[in-house]
Amino acid sequence: MISPSSYRTHPSPFESGLRSDGKRMTPQRKKVLSLFEEIGSGIHLSAEEVHSKLTISGEKVSLATIYRTLRLLVKMTFLNELDLSEGGNRFELLSHDHPDHHHLICIRCGRTEEFENNEVINAGKAAAENFGFKLLESSLNVRAVCPMCLNK
Amino acid sequence: MISPSSYRTHPSPFESGLRSDGKRMTPQRKKVLSLFEEIGSGIHLSAEEVHSKLTISGEKVSLATIYRTLRLLVKMTFLNELDLSEGGNRFELLSHDHPDHHHLICIRCGRTEEFENNEVINAGKAAAENFGFKLLESSLNVRAVCPMCLNK
DNA sequence: TAGCGTAATGAGAACCGCTTGCAACACAAA
DNA sequence: TTTGTGTTGCAAGCGGTTCTCATTACGCTA
Ligand SMILES: [Mn+2]
Ligand SMILES: [Mn+2]
Ligand SMILES: [Zn+2]
Ligand SMILES: [Zn+2]
């Protein structure tokens, strides 16, 4: 008789990515990626926010490990790292439907909206090409004040 | 007879801007702005770089004063502050011929090229408008690898 | 399923860019 | 010159991130 635990379940893309590189799956790594997958795309969290969200829901992962894991997840292209300025870098689930979006940030309250724009993508491509650079990524940050912060 | 020192020379825009705000002109402030004016626009210096350039040319200005002065010059719109990522913010002379340019940065050696693109400016305007935000500024940073860093 | 080699973690120190508190200093108005 | 207050230099402090190192634990192998 085959016990339930002996079923060989498909390793997740995360797990197989790790394995193929001599790295290991750990509960901490699972928790960090799951957090992003549960809250979905369009949310931009700082390392501290990831830490406190996990802590609040009873999971204990040290801040050092969170930083290490975020770096790893960015390198593995599960997450995207954003430099929106003001209080630390932020991370978001890399959504394959909206890979190249940009950000509109309220400098007062931090509210962040996303938008897509092909001209911006093309502008980045064109600039890199003109100077003979190999393009990696281009990011447009629009700093502004949101309606709520405007009238008060 | 009028002695040479009694000629009242026109105060610079910098000096009159300061005066009109109850602030004072100081040798330190002159030195920092002069450095930027001498090297011209299109050069992006970190606070540390400003400090070492002044130190090398025999001028002694403390790093704290340099940070304070850079902040002041940004507020007075003589300088522009850039967040190109990697090792501290950078400052450049605000050139009135190229006020709204963008940056192409080599992530290996730091080489930075400037380019202008109206579609990008319009994309920022449009995004702010769509969400009812009041636009402050928008900056496109293109991260790439320069030709020199590519072949080695 | 126990043993083992090595990757990963947690805790805290260190680091980096930047800001701030404070006493000494120096512009500029009278 | 005197005086008031803005500015400076120094050193301590701070927030975000990385590093060091002893301990833990993943997962391969027998
Ligand atoms: Mn986003
Ligand atoms: Mn520039
Ligand atoms: Zn707001
Ligand atoms: Zn380069």
Side-chain angles (χ1 to χ4, degrees):
Chain A
M1 175 104 194
I2 297 172
S3 75
S5 66
S6 72
Y7 282 106
R8 191 156 305 277
T9 141
H10 279 260
S12 67
F14 183 25
E15 183 151 7
S16 50
L18 288 170
R19 287 262 165 74
S20 72
D21 198 27
K23 297 187 187 307
R24 296 174 184 174
M25 175 55 86
T26 66
Q28 290 89 339
R29 287 173 174 173
K30 268 200 194 91
K31 286 171 191 165
V32 172
L33 181 53
S34 299
L35 172 61
F36 280 96
E37 286 172 341
E38 277 155 27
I39 64 178
S41 60
I43 309 285
H44 312 91
L45 300 178
S46 67
E48 286 286 358
E49 285 170 346
V50 171
H51 185 238
S52 70
K53 275 183 189 296
L54 289 179
T55 301
I56 286 168
S57 61
E59 315 282 11
K60 286 188 281 305
V61 182
S62 77
L63 190 53
T65 294
I66 288 178
Y67 275 106
R68 285 186 281 238
T69 304
L70 291 172
R71 244 191 293 154
L72 175 71
L73 288 170
V74 168
K75 205 170 302 161
M76 295 178 74
T77 72
F78 288 100
L79 296 185
N80 189 18
E81 181 167 9
L82 307 169
D83 185 5
L84 305 182
S85 231
E86 339 280 342
N89 287 358
R90 306 189 95 80
F91 299 83
E92 65 180 343
L93 200 60
L94 194 81
S95 133
H96 289 284
D97 352 339
H98 310 286
D100 274 328
H101 63 269
H102 301 285
H103 297 94
L104 172 65
I105 308 118
C106 174
I107 60 154
R108 298 257 176 86
C109 69
R111 175 179 160 198
T112 301
E113 299 290 345
E114 307 185 323
F115 63 94
E116 287 172 75
N117 190 303
N118 279 319
E119 335 268 336
V120 174
I121 304 295
N122 292 335
K125 275 189 194 135
E129 200 167 313
N130 285 343
F131 288 95
F133 282 44
K134 185 183 158 224
L135 177 67
L136 297 176
E137 52 145 347
S138 56
S139 61
L140 175 62
N141 286 344
V142 182
R143 293 160 45 79
V145 183
C146 81
M148 232 186 58
C149 291
L150 267 175
N151 36 317
K152 66 166 175 181
Chain B
M1 173 109 196
I2 298 171
S3 75
S5 66
S6 71
Y7 282 106
R8 190 156 305 276
T9 141
H10 279 260
S12 67
F14 183 25
E15 183 152 7
S16 50
L18 288 170
R19 286 263 165 73
S20 72
D21 198 26
K23 297 186 188 306
R24 296 175 185 174
M25 174 56 84
T26 66
Q28 290 89 338
R29 287 172 175 174
K30 267 201 193 91
K31 284 170 192 167
V32 172
L33 182 53
S34 298
L35 173 62
F36 279 96
E37 287 173 340
E38 278 157 25
I39 65 178
S41 60
I43 308 286
H44 312 91
L45 301 178
S46 68
E48 287 285 357
E49 285 170 345
V50 171
H51 186 238
S52 69
K53 274 183 192 296
L54 289 179
T55 302
I56 285 168
S57 61
E59 315 282 11
K60 288 188 281 303
V61 182
S62 79
L63 190 52
T65 293
I66 287 178
Y67 274 107
R68 285 188 280 238
T69 303
L70 290 172
R71 243 192 292 154
L72 175 70
L73 288 170
V74 167
K75 206 171 303 163
M76 295 179 73
T77 71
F78 288 101
L79 295 185
N80 189 19
E81 181 166 10
L82 307 169
D83 185 5
L84 306 182
S85 231
E86 337 281 342
N89 286 359
R90 307 188 94 79
F91 299 83
E92 66 181 343
L93 201 59
L94 193 86
S95 133
H96 288 283
D97 350 340
H98 310 287
D100 273 328
H101 62 270
H102 301 285
H103 297 94
L104 172 64
I105 307 118
C106 174
I107 60 154
R108 299 257 176 86
C109 69
R111 176 179 159 197
T112 300
E113 299 291 343
E114 306 185 325
F115 63 95
E116 286 172 76
N117 189 303
N118 280 319
E119 335 269 335
V120 174
I121 304 295
N122 291 335
K125 276 189 194 134
E129 201 166 313
N130 284 343
F131 289 95
F133 283 44
K134 185 184 158 221
L135 176 67
L136 297 176
E137 53 146 345
S138 56
S139 62
L140 175 63
N141 287 344
V142 182
R143 293 159 46 77
V145 182
C146 81
M148 231 186 57
C149 291
L150 268 175
N151 37 316
K152 67 167 175 181

